[in-house]
Amino acid sequence: RSVAILPGAEPFHHDGSEVGVLLCHGFTGTPQSMRPWGEYLADRGYSVRIPLLPGHGTTWQEMNQTRWEDWYAAVDTAFRELHEASERVVVCGLSMGGALALQLAQGHGPRISGLVLVNPAVKVEDPRTLLLPVLKHVVGSLGAIGNDVKKPGVTELAYTRTPLKAAHSQLVAWQSIVRDLPEVTQPVLLLRSPQDHVVPASSSALILARISSLDVTEILLEDSYHVATIDNDAQRIFDESAKFIERTTLS
């Protein structure tokens, strides 16, 4: 039994140079939020993968059947395929995709040449999260977190509800990712929106405080909200990431 993928949510795949870039979308989102970035990098000649995470791009009920381990397995598989075919790989992630990127960096070490994190999520400050272990058994979903975009006329393809069993699995995963942040040694480019209504600034601050990377750049995206990859600062993200990828993958 498979549920139809929403139009626009399809994975993206481009074979280019010896340098691969893996793009990881966010919780309840789809490759749609990463696609302009992926196409920009593909146009620059890179090999690009944007996997559709299990349970995403269909229905929130479907997503509630999946867990963090399923999403990580999907990005891990995409990374291994890229790594097989490429000399060097950079991993980029938006929101939860940033946490997946950090876990990949912890697991694969020097096989990853660099990380680009956009509003990465490893913690939230919503008091309701304390109730998730109980709530997830009582109600299937809460109101949506998707589509936090400033730019008029732009809509993120994301669920209109937050599936709670899936959400709770993310919270549990964050504990080990945060614990193991000192294992992250790769160059990091972190782009953050000061006006983010989904992920608190303390999430990026925690990452920057705990990673062991020596080559770290933080850039503020003053004109975007959480889904900055399709917001007013998208072009800035594309350009800065291209410079970073070029710099960190030089032979």
Side-chain angles (χ1 to χ4, degrees), residues 16-21 47 49 79-89:
S17 71
E18 290 293 282
V19 173
V21 186
S47 294
R49 299 283 182 282
F79 168 75
R80 287 169 191 271
E81 286 171 9
L82 263 180
H83 183 256
E84 199 72 8
S86 314
E87 300 234 324
R88 291 182 172 72
V89 180

Side-chain angles (χ1 to χ4, degrees), residues 119 150-151 191-197 218-226 228 231-234 236-237:
N119 293 321
K150 183 177 182 180
K151 191 175 184 178
L191 302 113
R192 178 172 71 77
S193 307
Q195 279 189 285
D196 182 328
H197 306 94
E218 183 182 21
I219 291 174
L220 295 182
L221 305 169
E222 300 286 359
D223 199 26
S224 297
Y225 295 159
H226 182 64
D231 212 330
N232 292 312
D233 295 297
R236 178 106 199 261
I237 296 171

Side-chain angles (χ1 to χ4, degrees), residues 32 36 147-157 223 225 227 230-232:
Q32 177 255 1
N147 203 30
D148 186 31
V149 181
K150 183 177 182 180
K151 191 175 184 178
V154 174
T155 303
E156 182 194 12
L157 185 59
D223 199 26
Y225 295 159
V227 195
I230 52 173
D231 212 330
N232 292 312

Side-chain angles (χ1 to χ4, degrees), residues 102 181-184 186 188 206-213 216:
L102 287 163
L181 280 173
E183 291 174 21
V184 176
Q186 295 87 347
V188 170
L206 178 62
I207 293 166
L208 294 175
R210 287 186 60 92
I211 57 176
S212 302
S213 312
V216 179

